[in-house]
Amino acid sequence: MRYGFTTGSCAAAAAKAAAYMLLTSREKTEITIETPKGIIYRAKILDIHRTENEVSCAVEKDGGDDPDITTGAWIYARVSYGEKTVSDIMIEGGVGVGRVTRPGLDQPVGNAAINHVPREMIEKEVTEICQLADYQGSLRIEISVPNGAHLSEHTFNPRLGVIGGISILGTSGIVEPMSSQAILDTIQIELKQRRFQGFDYVAIAPGNYGLDFMQKTYGYDLNKSVKCSNFIGETIDMAVALGFRKILLTGHIGKLIKVAGGIMNTHSREADCRMELLVAFAVKNRLESCYACEILNCATTEEALAILKSHQKLQVVMGNVAERVCYYLEKRSNGKLKADCILYANTFGELAKSKGVEKWFTLLAREQAL
């Protein structure tokens, strides 16, 4: 299946092309960037408008064989000279790019919803052009999506408190096809390979964020772990069938709170009772009903965690959640797997870990030394 490129990659390519045309006075109809995944993206540059002091152009979003609502959208970048005389790249959102109005998301309240990885990509690519042109001043970059406000109505942005447009997203720079069977086949292959190597334990994570958390927090490179996507239950079933004895699940509270309720497919279209489950655990630990109602009105789990923390309930609630995650993982395995888990949040870092996690650190350290 053919992969595509994220809105973040499109924004970075458009910004690089616009910066090139502004600083060299030459037109550019195709540009190349390197995605964080290491895959090269050759983007066609569309709708070029040039003046002496600014250049704008667009890149059409290609979702590959996993087209989403943004496929076909034109992602624009307008690059102009900044007021500062020192090297500086300012990135802002224009028409059709949402603005954050609630805490707990990748960007702080008030910022354009251009996530940190796309921002890093834009800065990297534009800096390369500045060095090429020997330009040491500042540049202002505005990312826009003309029909972004309309597109956002078909996304989770309004519910999350991102208003006025879509978000510029992407952690790897590419859009991997989301065929369910293809993902399950990949999980099966990775588990088989690990079992063939003689391991009877495996660390799993829903995606790149869990792997990155382990790397940054504990220094463990989980390159031998398995990305299970939303398919927690199916991954447990496969692990049992292959003879694994132990499993470690590391994930963001937004997904794993669902597992604490026995939900084994964490995709939002399958189930989204994050706040209800958080409230249940909070009430169990005697959070007053008025504050529980506040949690029910939260758009993100990070926002809900802030309420728990303000009432000194975060640690005990997250401890309970971790226990139930392990309970349901072991229940799914019919008691054939010993399960441990680590919960984290972007704002609060590590939230809780089960009692057996320290032994995992010993196992992982030993494996990395091989």
Side-chain angles (χ1 to χ4, degrees):
M1 298 181 76
R2 186 175 65 90
Y3 55 76
F5 293 92
T6 63
T7 50
S9 289
C10 296
K16 183 177 186 178
Y20 178 90
M21 289 185 275
L22 179 65
L23 298 181
T24 66
S25 299
R26 300 179 209 164
E27 188 161 297
K28 195 77 169 172
T29 58
E30 187 175 277
I31 202 78
T32 299
I33 69 166
E34 182 179 4
T35 64
K37 191 83 169 180
I39 293 172
I40 299 301
Y41 178 30
R42 292 179 177 86
K44 292 182 179 179
I45 305 304
L46 309 168
D47 198 22
I48 299 168
H49 295 274
R50 299 165 58 192
T51 69
E52 185 177 349
N53 294 314
E54 71 175 41
V55 173
S56 73
C57 61
V59 169
E60 184 177 359
K61 165 73 186 298
D62 176 10
D65 286 334
D66 184 46
D68 63 13
I69 194 64
T70 61
T71 292
W74 284 27
I75 314 298
Y76 280 80
R78 182 172 66 184
V79 178
S80 57
Y81 293 109
E83 297 179 357
K84 299 180 181 178
T85 57
V86 297
S87 297
D88 185 46
I89 295 173
M90 297 162 285
I91 302 170
E92 187 51 89
V95 172
V97 172
R99 196 154 294 273
V100 178
T101 65
R102 294 184 184 177
L105 299 178
D106 181 274
Q107 293 295 301
V109 172
N111 271 24
I114 304 172
N115 280 11
H116 73 281
V117 173
R119 287 177 184 270
E120 291 165 3
M121 292 173 66
I122 293 168
E123 186 168 352
K124 171 181 174 291
E125 299 297 340
V126 171
T127 297
E128 180 182 309
I129 297 301
C130 290
Q131 292 171 347
L132 176 70
D134 195 27
Y135 176 72
Q136 299 178 4
S138 61
L139 292 176
R140 181 176 181 273
I141 301 168
E142 181 185 88
I143 306 300
S144 60
V145 186
N147 63 336
H150 171 70
L151 293 175
S152 70
E153 296 173 2
H154 304 281
T155 72
F156 280 105
N157 272 11
R159 179 174 176 178
L160 295 174
V162 178
I163 63 171
I166 65 169
S167 299
I168 304 300
L169 304 170
T171 57
S172 65
I174 67 170
V175 179
E176 300 184 60
M178 287 295 287
S179 160
S180 295
Q181 191 56 53
I183 294 173
L184 290 170
D185 290 345
T186 300
I187 295 170
Q188 178 87 358
I189 290 169
E190 292 181 355
L191 286 171
K192 279 185 176 180
Q193 288 176 334
R194 183 166 179 82
R195 192 71 185 97
F196 183 77
Q197 292 168 351
F199 295 104
D200 66 353
Y201 63 90
V202 61
I204 67 173
N208 292 327
Y209 283 131
L211 306 185
D212 292 344
F213 171 79
M214 287 293 286
Q215 177 69 56
K216 293 176 182 178
T217 306
Y218 297 109
Y220 291 112
D221 182 2
L222 295 185
N223 62 342
K224 297 179 182 177
S225 68
V226 173
K227 280 199 290 185
C228 60
S229 186
N230 293 299
F231 302 104
I232 309 292
E234 286 91 340
T235 302
I236 296 293
D237 297 343
M238 294 177 198
V240 169
L242 289 168
F244 283 95
R245 303 286 299 278
K246 292 184 288 188
I247 196 163
L248 171 65
L249 173 62
T250 301
H252 189 278
I253 184 62
K255 281 196 179 293
L256 297 202
I257 185 61
K258 299 179 185 180
V259 181
I263 296 166
M264 291 289 146
N265 185 323
T266 57
H267 197 288
S268 57
R269 69 169 171 255
E270 298 291 334
D272 188 10
C273 53
R274 296 165 299 157
M275 301 313 160
E276 290 84 353
L277 284 166
L278 279 173
V279 164
F281 284 106
V283 170
K284 177 184 176 182
N285 286 282
R286 295 184 171 85
L287 181 70
E288 294 180 33
S289 60
C290 58
Y291 304 124
C293 288
E294 288 183 22
I295 292 176
L296 284 175
N297 291 325
C298 289
T300 68
T301 48
E302 301 259 352
E303 187 180 353
L305 295 180
I307 295 173
L308 291 174
K309 185 176 182 180
S310 68
H311 297 287
Q312 292 78 50
K313 298 294 184 181
L314 182 60
Q315 185 175 357
V316 65
V317 168
M318 290 300 105
N320 286 173
V321 171
E323 290 174 4
R324 296 303 284 179
V325 168
C326 294
Y327 168 80
Y328 278 112
L329 293 176
E330 292 178 357
K331 182 178 180 182
R332 177 71 179 228
S333 76
N334 289 319
K336 295 178 181 179
L337 276 177
K338 173 66 176 72
D340 284 292
C341 74
I342 301 174
L343 310 178
Y344 70 91
N346 298 336
T347 305
F348 299 92
E350 182 186 288
L351 297 170
K353 56 178 180 279
S354 58
K355 294 178 181 178
V357 166
E358 295 299 331
K359 293 180 181 178
W360 274 93
F361 292 157
T362 301
L363 281 174
L364 295 173
R366 187 185 303 146
E367 186 176 338
Q368 284 197 166
L370 294 177

